[in-house]
Amino acid sequence: MNVLLLGSGGREHALAWKIAASPLLTKLYAAPGNPGIGREAELVKLDIADHSAVAAFCKDREIGLVVVGPEGPLVAGISDDLRGWGIRVFGPSRAAARLEGSKGFTKDLCARYDIPTAAYGRFADLASAKAYVEKMGTPIVIKADGLAAGKGVTVAMTMDEALAALDACFDGSFGTAGAEVVVEEFLTGEEASFFCLCDGTTALPFGTAQDHKRVGDGDVGPNTGGMGAYSPAPVMTPQMVERTMREIVEPTMRGMAATGAPFAGILFAGLMITDEGPKLIEYNTRFGDPECQVLMMRLKDDLLVLLNAAVDGQLAHMSARWSDEAALTVVMAARGYPGTPEKGSVIRGLDEAASEGAQIFHAGTAINGGALVANGGRVLNVTAIGATVGEAQKKAYAALDRIDWPQGFCRRDIGWQAVAREKAGAS
């Protein structure tokens, strides 16, 4: 089977790395890809926003499956368009991708189907939103309704922060994504990422992870797209997985089918594990980044077989096996991130880092004059596996310290909650 992978980040490099290992694969193409993905696939210059150009390429190269990595093309309806041209595609329809494309849509679905989530209000004008925030008080959570590259959420601990976040949404800081806002109750507990592979009817549990959203050690500073992650998430016990499936995922699958938009693809539930049980923070309709990187390290089965089963509606007959080991990834970001990153600095030492037993996934790199350079905010994902999270953490940082890139930075405490749990359990 020839496969076309769409996207260019660390998530897509991890998917390319796993798909490339499949005996089912004849040829892997990636558009636009990055230098790391180029080691696993043939890179093609395609504008993935031009759906007819993507379809023409698929017909020309006899592509048997298109795998859509990022959320933007899904929300723009690329899956619908490709299917309309008779091309098999892994990724939800435009209507189903509203679970990520509109936070308000998801909150209303939760209300309709009694899915546990934070209390909320939806607002299309600044004055009403501010009145609601002033009535509810802080701490409170402000979210741009649409896609904002992981940066449209503010956990406001003070009224000034909350009002400033509302101003940012409505003054166009997040483009059209902030034309409407969702204001949510602040939840306390431990966050976790829970994934399901879905075929429209069946949802197959597909791994757990925890990521680190804030830019600085100790979980301080602004939210980012993710500075690191590890898998599995200790808080997601078998009992918690069962509750999440029963209380959150299965009602969502029934609700989406009832609205005429059955969900097929990856359903990524961002959860808060509260004293009352799991509550949905938000849905994403694609693999997380950097959660995908740690999931692919632990997945024992052939990813391409599982993706095909999801596309063909055969997940009821499938299972997914996972390594008992833990995986951990550390994001190396360019100076300036999550603001405006500095691009163009040269990166050296990746072969030395890999010699420490780590897998280096490229997230924002390019080749310039024969040298590997930073070409984005999150640039590298240094990923390792070990018997415990603590062991995987040591391996990842040992590899990271071999990388020669003075203009890059990272958090030094990825996995701290799990490592603390392990130490407490050993004492």
Side-chain angles (χ1 to χ4, degrees), residues 9 40 63 96 100 144 359 364 413:
E40 314 289 350
I63 299 297
E100 178 165 6
Q359 187 69 37
D413 64 346

PDB file of all heavy atoms in Angstrom, residues 9 40 63 96 100 144 359 364 413:
ATOM      1  N   GLY A   9       5.126  18.300  11.452  1.00  0.00           N
ATOM      2  CA  GLY A   9       5.622  18.478  12.807  1.00  0.00           C
ATOM      3  C   GLY A   9       6.154  17.212  13.450  1.00  0.00           C
ATOM      4  O   GLY A   9       6.332  16.176  12.795  1.00  0.00           O
ATOM      5  N   GLU A  40      12.233   8.890   6.543  1.00  0.00           N
ATOM      6  CA  GLU A  40      11.269   7.782   6.545  1.00  0.00           C
ATOM      7  C   GLU A  40      10.416   7.759   5.293  1.00  0.00           C
ATOM      8  O   GLU A  40       9.826   6.724   4.960  1.00  0.00           O
ATOM      9  CB  GLU A  40      10.315   7.904   7.753  1.00  0.00           C
ATOM     10  CG  GLU A  40      10.970   8.217   9.083  1.00  0.00           C
ATOM     11  CD  GLU A  40      11.774   7.053   9.640  1.00  0.00           C
ATOM     12  OE1 GLU A  40      11.666   5.931   9.081  1.00  0.00           O
ATOM     13  OE2 GLU A  40      12.503   7.247  10.629  1.00  0.00           O
ATOM     14  N   ILE A  63      -2.298   6.177  -4.263  1.00  0.00           N
ATOM     15  CA  ILE A  63      -2.265   6.206  -2.800  1.00  0.00           C
ATOM     16  C   ILE A  63      -3.432   5.405  -2.245  1.00  0.00           C
ATOM     17  O   ILE A  63      -4.595   5.661  -2.582  1.00  0.00           O
ATOM     18  CB  ILE A  63      -2.318   7.662  -2.286  1.00  0.00           C
ATOM     19  CG1 ILE A  63      -1.117   8.469  -2.787  1.00  0.00           C
ATOM     20  CG2 ILE A  63      -2.402   7.687  -0.759  1.00  0.00           C
ATOM     21  CD1 ILE A  63       0.233   7.974  -2.312  1.00  0.00           C
ATOM     22  N   ALA A  96     -17.587  16.170  11.988  1.00  0.00           N
ATOM     23  CA  ALA A  96     -17.103  15.513  13.206  1.00  0.00           C
ATOM     24  C   ALA A  96     -15.932  16.265  13.823  1.00  0.00           C
ATOM     25  O   ALA A  96     -15.752  16.265  15.051  1.00  0.00           O
ATOM     26  CB  ALA A  96     -16.708  14.072  12.902  1.00  0.00           C
ATOM     27  N   GLU A 100     -13.194  19.539  17.787  1.00  0.00           N
ATOM     28  CA  GLU A 100     -12.014  20.348  18.066  1.00  0.00           C
ATOM     29  C   GLU A 100     -12.159  21.765  17.538  1.00  0.00           C
ATOM     30  O   GLU A 100     -11.698  22.724  18.162  1.00  0.00           O
ATOM     31  CB  GLU A 100     -10.759  19.713  17.469  1.00  0.00           C
ATOM     32  CG  GLU A 100      -9.506  20.555  17.697  1.00  0.00           C
ATOM     33  CD  GLU A 100      -8.209  19.818  17.449  1.00  0.00           C
ATOM     34  OE1 GLU A 100      -8.247  18.657  16.984  1.00  0.00           O
ATOM     35  OE2 GLU A 100      -7.137  20.393  17.742  1.00  0.00           O
ATOM     36  N   ALA A 144     -10.663  30.724  23.492  1.00  0.00           N
ATOM     37  CA  ALA A 144     -11.126  31.060  22.145  1.00  0.00           C
ATOM     38  C   ALA A 144     -11.866  29.852  21.589  1.00  0.00           C
ATOM     39  O   ALA A 144     -11.439  28.714  21.767  1.00  0.00           O
ATOM     40  CB  ALA A 144      -9.944  31.417  21.254  1.00  0.00           C
ATOM     41  N   GLN A 359      15.233   8.450  20.497  1.00  0.00           N
ATOM     42  CA  GLN A 359      14.697   8.709  19.167  1.00  0.00           C
ATOM     43  C   GLN A 359      14.456  10.213  19.070  1.00  0.00           C
ATOM     44  O   GLN A 359      13.794  10.786  19.931  1.00  0.00           O
ATOM     45  CB  GLN A 359      13.378   7.946  18.967  1.00  0.00           C
ATOM     46  CG  GLN A 359      12.822   8.009  17.570  1.00  0.00           C
ATOM     47  CD  GLN A 359      13.656   7.234  16.574  1.00  0.00           C
ATOM     48  OE1 GLN A 359      14.183   6.172  16.881  1.00  0.00           O
ATOM     49  NE2 GLN A 359      13.791   7.767  15.369  1.00  0.00           N
ATOM     50  N   GLY A 364      10.249  21.200  14.035  1.00  0.00           N
ATOM     51  CA  GLY A 364      10.325  22.468  13.311  1.00  0.00           C
ATOM     52  C   GLY A 364      11.731  22.685  12.808  1.00  0.00           C
ATOM     53  O   GLY A 364      12.443  23.569  13.281  1.00  0.00           O
ATOM     54  N   ASP A 413      12.204  19.380  33.745  1.00  0.00           N
ATOM     55  CA  ASP A 413      11.445  18.605  34.737  1.00  0.00           C
ATOM     56  C   ASP A 413      10.301  17.814  34.113  1.00  0.00           C
ATOM     57  O   ASP A 413       9.334  17.482  34.803  1.00  0.00           O
ATOM     58  CB  ASP A 413      10.892  19.544  35.810  1.00  0.00           C
ATOM     59  CG  ASP A 413       9.890  20.560  35.260  1.00  0.00           C
ATOM     60  OD1 ASP A 413       9.819  20.722  34.019  1.00  0.00           O
ATOM     61  OD2 ASP A 413       9.183  21.175  36.064  1.00  0.00           O
TER      62      ASP A 413
END
